[in-house]
Structures are given as C-alpha cells and as structure tokens.
Amino acid sequence: MKPWLLIDTDPGVDDALAILMAHRHGRIAGLSIAAGNVGLDRTVANALKLCDVLGADIPVFAGCPLPLVRAAADAAHVHGADGFGDTGYLPSRRIAASEHAALAMLRISREHAGEMTIVALAPLTNLALALRLDPTLPQRVPRLVVMGGAVSGRGNTTLAAEFNVGFDPEAAAIVFGAWPRLELVDWELTVRHALDFARCEAWLATDDPRARFYAAISRKVRSFSRARGRTGLLAADALAMAVALEPGLVTAGEERHVAVELDGTLTRGSTIVDWERRGSASANARIVMAVDQARFEALVASALGAIA
Ligand code: RIB
Ligand code: CA
C-alpha cells in the first residue's frame, strides 16, 4: 500500500523532484508550504504550479512567512528568484487553502492517525508551530523524515549549518527536542549520493511533461552545481523523499542525540551530534548514513517518467 505523506516544503527545485516522487510512489495528503528557498508567496505559487504539472488536486496550505525569531537569507542564488529556475512559467490558476499550514498539519494528522509520514523538506517553522499548538502530534505520526542538518559540521549555508536548520534554528531546536525518534537525511549524505549529471540529463530528455518541466526549472541549479565542481546533482529533498517512500533502501544508520546550536557566532544553526554517546540525553534521531543508490535513482527516474 502506498504510504500517506504530508510534505512540508519550500519549493525549491529539489523540493519539486521530491513532490514528483511522492505523487508517483505515495499518496499525498497535503503540501504545507514554508518560506525558505524563496519567499512564501513564491513557494506557494510553485507548489500550485506543480499541481498543474501533475494534474493533481493536492491540498496546498500556506504557512509561516518568516522564521520564528531571527530573519534569514533565502537561497534564491541557487534556486532562482522565483524558486523554480526563473523560467517565467505561466502561473497556476489554483489557489491555496485558507487553513494555516500548522493547523492543517494537526487536522490531517488526526484524519490519518497512525498511518502517515511527515516529510519535512524545508525550514521547520510550520512543524515547530504545530508542535507548540499540540505537543501530542508525534503520537499520531509514525514517521517523521527530516531533510536537514550537517552531522559532521560540513554545512552548505554557513561553514557549519545546513540551509533548512540554519534558516530557522529555533524551529529546528523545537522539533529535535520534541520528536522522540526522527529520521535524519542530512546535507553530507546528500553530497555522498549525488545524481550523476549524464544520467540525470538522460532522464530529463524523456518525452514526459514531468521531465520537461523539471528539465526547465533545474537548468539553473544544474549549471550552478557544475560551476561549483560537483560530480552530480545534489537533490537533498529527493533523497529524503526516497527514504520516506522506501525505508528499506537505507543501508546504514546511526541512532544518536542531535541538538541544534542557537547562539554560536560561527555555529548558529549547526546540528551537534553526540557521536560518542557522552551526554545524558538519549538518541532522538536515526541518522541515515548510506542508501542503495540504484534504488534511490530508480525512484527519481520513475517520477520523471523515464522508467516505469
Ligand atoms: O540544504 C538543502 C535544503 O535547503 C533543501 O531542502 C533545499 O530545498 C533547500 O531548501
Ligand atoms: Ca527544500
């Protein structure tokens, strides 16, 4: 049976690939939208456009326009000013639901109690608010898969911080402090599991509306990655979605306590892992350390229509 998914997302080019994967292999109960890669107005518009591309009436809920405490810079330099590669796409005529994302998350968790995975692909502002409104949320949600953090301090937005945690560290601290055992797909895992450019471009050449759309919106990110000397496309959210869709493709993991630094001049937003188990706090995260690359790529290729 395909899993029920609630996806918290800031589309975002790699978010878009994750959502294509979720539509192909899962059942999407809703998209709760965060600010992050670009502003909330754009991330909502991008989510609605993706529903057009999929021809799917997926509920879209706008969330918080700002981080909980301190303002943070977006990632438009990577994803484009519009968050989707500045292709100038024709906007969707769909509209987002009027319900706030945090409230929708709580309602949907009650409607799908015990059977839903939350896949957090954005700064954790919406999820943190939901947890503050209803601390019993984890009891109804068997799995939370988080794309975030850099478990050995190799960040992507600052030297030590990964973007989703670094954009709203207070929200991340709330989520990591409240969830008993989340599954963590961090930036360093993403780098280890890059998608080979040549294979990606072969998939994107498929005569399929999903491949055509993704080829267009990812052009800027692919150029950016090549210019940075990357060996392949780094699709963090797609990797997290693969773990959510097929837990069995995880080939190595570590259970550890993960905390979020809030105050360090150089380290704010970094994820601090108790690797030596020296602290008193018990593990709150299953850190994914390796996945089956072939199975990851099969989920991506099929989401683009490149394979069955
Ligand atoms: O650090 C990678 C994360 O930041 C991904 O979720 C990507 O979409 C960006 O938001
Ligand atoms: Ca994202």
Side-chain angles (χ1 to χ4, degrees), residues 37-59:
N37 282 320
V38 287
L40 185 67
D41 57 333
R42 294 299 332 160
T43 54
V44 170
N46 292 343
L48 295 171
K49 181 62 182 179
L50 214 45
C51 294
D52 288 353
V53 172
L54 290 168
D57 293 327
I58 302 168

PDB file of all heavy atoms in Angstrom, residues 37-59:
ATOM      1  N   ASN A  37      13.685  28.642   0.635  1.00  0.00           N
ATOM      2  CA  ASN A  37      14.444  28.853  -0.606  1.00  0.00           C
ATOM      3  C   ASN A  37      14.162  30.240  -1.187  1.00  0.00           C
ATOM      4  O   ASN A  37      15.073  30.943  -1.637  1.00  0.00           O
ATOM      5  CB  ASN A  37      14.087  27.781  -1.626  1.00  0.00           C
ATOM      6  CG  ASN A  37      14.784  26.470  -1.341  1.00  0.00           C
ATOM      7  OD1 ASN A  37      15.957  26.451  -0.967  1.00  0.00           O
ATOM      8  ND2 ASN A  37      14.059  25.370  -1.475  1.00  0.00           N
ATOM      9  N   VAL A  38      12.886  30.554  -1.213  1.00  0.00           N
ATOM     10  CA  VAL A  38      12.442  31.904  -1.594  1.00  0.00           C
ATOM     11  C   VAL A  38      11.248  32.260  -0.700  1.00  0.00           C
ATOM     12  O   VAL A  38      10.855  31.466   0.165  1.00  0.00           O
ATOM     13  CB  VAL A  38      12.052  32.002  -3.097  1.00  0.00           C
ATOM     14  CG1 VAL A  38      13.278  31.964  -3.990  1.00  0.00           C
ATOM     15  CG2 VAL A  38      11.061  30.898  -3.476  1.00  0.00           C
ATOM     16  N   GLY A  39      10.681  33.455  -0.885  1.00  0.00           N
ATOM     17  CA  GLY A  39       9.599  33.897  -0.007  1.00  0.00           C
ATOM     18  C   GLY A  39       8.341  33.040  -0.136  1.00  0.00           C
ATOM     19  O   GLY A  39       8.150  32.327  -1.135  1.00  0.00           O
ATOM     20  N   LEU A  40       7.491  33.139   0.861  1.00  0.00           N
ATOM     21  CA  LEU A  40       6.308  32.276   0.938  1.00  0.00           C
ATOM     22  C   LEU A  40       5.381  32.464  -0.264  1.00  0.00           C
ATOM     23  O   LEU A  40       4.802  31.489  -0.762  1.00  0.00           O
ATOM     24  CB  LEU A  40       5.538  32.571   2.222  1.00  0.00           C
ATOM     25  CG  LEU A  40       4.336  31.670   2.522  1.00  0.00           C
ATOM     26  CD1 LEU A  40       4.785  30.231   2.818  1.00  0.00           C
ATOM     27  CD2 LEU A  40       3.514  32.220   3.686  1.00  0.00           C
ATOM     28  N   ASP A  41       5.248  33.660  -0.754  1.00  0.00           N
ATOM     29  CA  ASP A  41       4.351  33.885  -1.905  1.00  0.00           C
ATOM     30  C   ASP A  41       4.832  33.063  -3.113  1.00  0.00           C
ATOM     31  O   ASP A  41       4.040  32.454  -3.827  1.00  0.00           O
ATOM     32  CB  ASP A  41       4.273  35.370  -2.270  1.00  0.00           C
ATOM     33  CG  ASP A  41       5.653  35.976  -2.590  1.00  0.00           C
ATOM     34  OD1 ASP A  41       6.658  35.451  -2.052  1.00  0.00           O
ATOM     35  OD2 ASP A  41       5.720  36.953  -3.367  1.00  0.00           O
ATOM     36  N   ARG A  42       6.159  32.982  -3.282  1.00  0.00           N
ATOM     37  CA  ARG A  42       6.709  32.218  -4.383  1.00  0.00           C
ATOM     38  C   ARG A  42       6.654  30.716  -4.134  1.00  0.00           C
ATOM     39  O   ARG A  42       6.334  29.945  -5.044  1.00  0.00           O
ATOM     40  CB  ARG A  42       8.171  32.610  -4.646  1.00  0.00           C
ATOM     41  CG  ARG A  42       8.421  34.006  -5.144  1.00  0.00           C
ATOM     42  CD  ARG A  42       7.787  34.333  -6.455  1.00  0.00           C
ATOM     43  NE  ARG A  42       7.598  33.189  -7.335  1.00  0.00           N
ATOM     44  CZ  ARG A  42       6.722  33.196  -8.340  1.00  0.00           C
ATOM     45  NH1 ARG A  42       5.970  34.255  -8.542  1.00  0.00           N
ATOM     46  NH2 ARG A  42       6.580  32.148  -9.136  1.00  0.00           N
ATOM     47  N   THR A  43       6.960  30.298  -2.919  1.00  0.00           N
ATOM     48  CA  THR A  43       6.924  28.846  -2.654  1.00  0.00           C
ATOM     49  C   THR A  43       5.493  28.310  -2.776  1.00  0.00           C
ATOM     50  O   THR A  43       5.303  27.194  -3.290  1.00  0.00           O
ATOM     51  CB  THR A  43       7.516  28.515  -1.258  1.00  0.00           C
ATOM     52  OG1 THR A  43       6.853  29.286  -0.245  1.00  0.00           O
ATOM     53  CG2 THR A  43       9.009  28.795  -1.212  1.00  0.00           C
ATOM     54  N   VAL A  44       4.510  29.101  -2.384  1.00  0.00           N
ATOM     55  CA  VAL A  44       3.108  28.682  -2.561  1.00  0.00           C
ATOM     56  C   VAL A  44       2.771  28.605  -4.051  1.00  0.00           C
ATOM     57  O   VAL A  44       2.225  27.608  -4.543  1.00  0.00           O
ATOM     58  CB  VAL A  44       2.140  29.637  -1.844  1.00  0.00           C
ATOM     59  CG1 VAL A  44       0.686  29.353  -2.232  1.00  0.00           C
ATOM     60  CG2 VAL A  44       2.289  29.520  -0.323  1.00  0.00           C
ATOM     61  N   ALA A  45       3.175  29.633  -4.804  1.00  0.00           N
ATOM     62  CA  ALA A  45       2.886  29.657  -6.253  1.00  0.00           C
ATOM     63  C   ALA A  45       3.537  28.456  -6.946  1.00  0.00           C
ATOM     64  O   ALA A  45       2.951  27.826  -7.838  1.00  0.00           O
ATOM     65  CB  ALA A  45       3.387  30.961  -6.855  1.00  0.00           C
ATOM     66  N   ASN A  46       4.738  28.122  -6.512  1.00  0.00           N
ATOM     67  CA  ASN A  46       5.458  26.994  -7.125  1.00  0.00           C
ATOM     68  C   ASN A  46       4.773  25.662  -6.808  1.00  0.00           C
ATOM     69  O   ASN A  46       4.680  24.777  -7.673  1.00  0.00           O
ATOM     70  CB  ASN A  46       6.910  26.980  -6.646  1.00  0.00           C
ATOM     71  CG  ASN A  46       7.711  28.156  -7.182  1.00  0.00           C
ATOM     72  OD1 ASN A  46       7.321  28.824  -8.144  1.00  0.00           O
ATOM     73  ND2 ASN A  46       8.832  28.434  -6.539  1.00  0.00           N
ATOM     74  N   ALA A  47       4.272  25.545  -5.590  1.00  0.00           N
ATOM     75  CA  ALA A  47       3.545  24.312  -5.223  1.00  0.00           C
ATOM     76  C   ALA A  47       2.278  24.174  -6.063  1.00  0.00           C
ATOM     77  O   ALA A  47       1.967  23.086  -6.573  1.00  0.00           O
ATOM     78  CB  ALA A  47       3.207  24.331  -3.738  1.00  0.00           C
ATOM     79  N   LEU A  48       1.581  25.271  -6.263  1.00  0.00           N
ATOM     80  CA  LEU A  48       0.348  25.238  -7.069  1.00  0.00           C
ATOM     81  C   LEU A  48       0.673  24.895  -8.526  1.00  0.00           C
ATOM     82  O   LEU A  48      -0.052  24.132  -9.180  1.00  0.00           O
ATOM     83  CB  LEU A  48      -0.382  26.573  -6.971  1.00  0.00           C
ATOM     84  CG  LEU A  48      -0.920  26.930  -5.575  1.00  0.00           C
ATOM     85  CD1 LEU A  48      -1.433  28.370  -5.539  1.00  0.00           C
ATOM     86  CD2 LEU A  48      -2.015  25.966  -5.143  1.00  0.00           C
ATOM     87  N   LYS A  49       1.766  25.428  -9.038  1.00  0.00           N
ATOM     88  CA  LYS A  49       2.179  25.129 -10.424  1.00  0.00           C
ATOM     89  C   LYS A  49       2.501  23.645 -10.573  1.00  0.00           C
ATOM     90  O   LYS A  49       2.143  23.010 -11.574  1.00  0.00           O
ATOM     91  CB  LYS A  49       3.399  25.967 -10.808  1.00  0.00           C
ATOM     92  CG  LYS A  49       3.898  25.741 -12.235  1.00  0.00           C
ATOM     93  CD  LYS A  49       2.845  26.130 -13.273  1.00  0.00           C
ATOM     94  CE  LYS A  49       3.296  25.870 -14.700  1.00  0.00           C
ATOM     95  NZ  LYS A  49       2.250  26.237 -15.702  1.00  0.00           N
ATOM     96  N   LEU A  50       3.120  23.096  -9.546  1.00  0.00           N
ATOM     97  CA  LEU A  50       3.470  21.677  -9.607  1.00  0.00           C
ATOM     98  C   LEU A  50       2.201  20.812  -9.655  1.00  0.00           C
ATOM     99  O   LEU A  50       2.162  19.788 -10.328  1.00  0.00           O
ATOM    100  CB  LEU A  50       4.313  21.317  -8.376  1.00  0.00           C
ATOM    101  CG  LEU A  50       5.405  20.268  -8.513  1.00  0.00           C
ATOM    102  CD1 LEU A  50       6.249  20.463  -9.760  1.00  0.00           C
ATOM    103  CD2 LEU A  50       6.270  20.262  -7.277  1.00  0.00           C
ATOM    104  N   CYS A  51       1.154  21.260  -8.976  1.00  0.00           N
ATOM    105  CA  CYS A  51      -0.129  20.542  -9.047  1.00  0.00           C
ATOM    106  C   CYS A  51      -0.654  20.556 -10.481  1.00  0.00           C
ATOM    107  O   CYS A  51      -1.183  19.557 -10.971  1.00  0.00           O
ATOM    108  CB  CYS A  51      -1.151  21.175  -8.113  1.00  0.00           C
ATOM    109  SG  CYS A  51      -0.748  21.013  -6.368  1.00  0.00           S
ATOM    110  N   ASP A  52      -0.456  21.669 -11.186  1.00  0.00           N
ATOM    111  CA  ASP A  52      -0.843  21.736 -12.618  1.00  0.00           C
ATOM    112  C   ASP A  52      -0.041  20.713 -13.431  1.00  0.00           C
ATOM    113  O   ASP A  52      -0.597  19.964 -14.230  1.00  0.00           O
ATOM    114  CB  ASP A  52      -0.556  23.134 -13.198  1.00  0.00           C
ATOM    115  CG  ASP A  52      -1.511  24.208 -12.701  1.00  0.00           C
ATOM    116  OD1 ASP A  52      -2.481  23.859 -12.008  1.00  0.00           O
ATOM    117  OD2 ASP A  52      -1.263  25.387 -13.010  1.00  0.00           O
ATOM    118  N   VAL A  53       1.261  20.692 -13.210  1.00  0.00           N
ATOM    119  CA  VAL A  53       2.129  19.781 -13.979  1.00  0.00           C
ATOM    120  C   VAL A  53       1.690  18.336 -13.756  1.00  0.00           C
ATOM    121  O   VAL A  53       1.645  17.523 -14.682  1.00  0.00           O
ATOM    122  CB  VAL A  53       3.604  19.960 -13.569  1.00  0.00           C
ATOM    123  CG1 VAL A  53       4.505  18.909 -14.202  1.00  0.00           C
ATOM    124  CG2 VAL A  53       4.088  21.367 -13.928  1.00  0.00           C
ATOM    125  N   LEU A  54       1.307  18.022 -12.501  1.00  0.00           N
ATOM    126  CA  LEU A  54       0.894  16.664 -12.150  1.00  0.00           C
ATOM    127  C   LEU A  54      -0.574  16.417 -12.504  1.00  0.00           C
ATOM    128  O   LEU A  54      -1.026  15.268 -12.526  1.00  0.00           O
ATOM    129  CB  LEU A  54       1.105  16.416 -10.657  1.00  0.00           C
ATOM    130  CG  LEU A  54       2.563  16.324 -10.202  1.00  0.00           C
ATOM    131  CD1 LEU A  54       2.659  16.377  -8.690  1.00  0.00           C
ATOM    132  CD2 LEU A  54       3.202  15.043 -10.742  1.00  0.00           C
ATOM    133  N   GLY A  55      -1.313  17.504 -12.756  1.00  0.00           N
ATOM    134  CA  GLY A  55      -2.750  17.352 -12.988  1.00  0.00           C
ATOM    135  C   GLY A  55      -3.427  16.759 -11.762  1.00  0.00           C
ATOM    136  O   GLY A  55      -4.337  15.931 -11.852  1.00  0.00           O
ATOM    137  N   ALA A  56      -2.972  17.205 -10.591  1.00  0.00           N
ATOM    138  CA  ALA A  56      -3.447  16.625  -9.327  1.00  0.00           C
ATOM    139  C   ALA A  56      -4.001  17.709  -8.412  1.00  0.00           C
ATOM    140  O   ALA A  56      -3.401  18.780  -8.269  1.00  0.00           O
ATOM    141  CB  ALA A  56      -2.282  15.913  -8.638  1.00  0.00           C
ATOM    142  N   ASP A  57      -5.163  17.421  -7.800  1.00  0.00           N
ATOM    143  CA  ASP A  57      -5.773  18.368  -6.862  1.00  0.00           C
ATOM    144  C   ASP A  57      -5.246  18.103  -5.464  1.00  0.00           C
ATOM    145  O   ASP A  57      -5.960  17.571  -4.615  1.00  0.00           O
ATOM    146  CB  ASP A  57      -7.300  18.237  -6.890  1.00  0.00           C
ATOM    147  CG  ASP A  57      -7.873  18.690  -8.224  1.00  0.00           C
ATOM    148  OD1 ASP A  57      -7.276  19.628  -8.829  1.00  0.00           O
ATOM    149  OD2 ASP A  57      -8.858  18.087  -8.690  1.00  0.00           O
ATOM    150  N   ILE A  58      -4.007  18.459  -5.228  1.00  0.00           N
ATOM    151  CA  ILE A  58      -3.381  18.244  -3.919  1.00  0.00           C
ATOM    152  C   ILE A  58      -3.641  19.488  -3.064  1.00  0.00           C
ATOM    153  O   ILE A  58      -3.391  20.612  -3.504  1.00  0.00           O
ATOM    154  CB  ILE A  58      -1.870  18.021  -4.066  1.00  0.00           C
ATOM    155  CG1 ILE A  58      -1.578  16.829  -4.971  1.00  0.00           C
ATOM    156  CG2 ILE A  58      -1.221  17.842  -2.697  1.00  0.00           C
ATOM    157  CD1 ILE A  58      -0.119  16.725  -5.399  1.00  0.00           C
ATOM    158  N   PRO A  59      -4.137  19.317  -1.818  1.00  0.00           N
ATOM    159  CA  PRO A  59      -4.362  20.499  -0.968  1.00  0.00           C
ATOM    160  C   PRO A  59      -3.039  21.198  -0.638  1.00  0.00           C
ATOM    161  O   PRO A  59      -2.054  20.537  -0.288  1.00  0.00           O
ATOM    162  CB  PRO A  59      -4.990  19.918   0.305  1.00  0.00           C
ATOM    163  CG  PRO A  59      -5.450  18.550  -0.051  1.00  0.00           C
ATOM    164  CD  PRO A  59      -4.561  18.068  -1.150  1.00  0.00           C
TER     165      PRO A  59
END
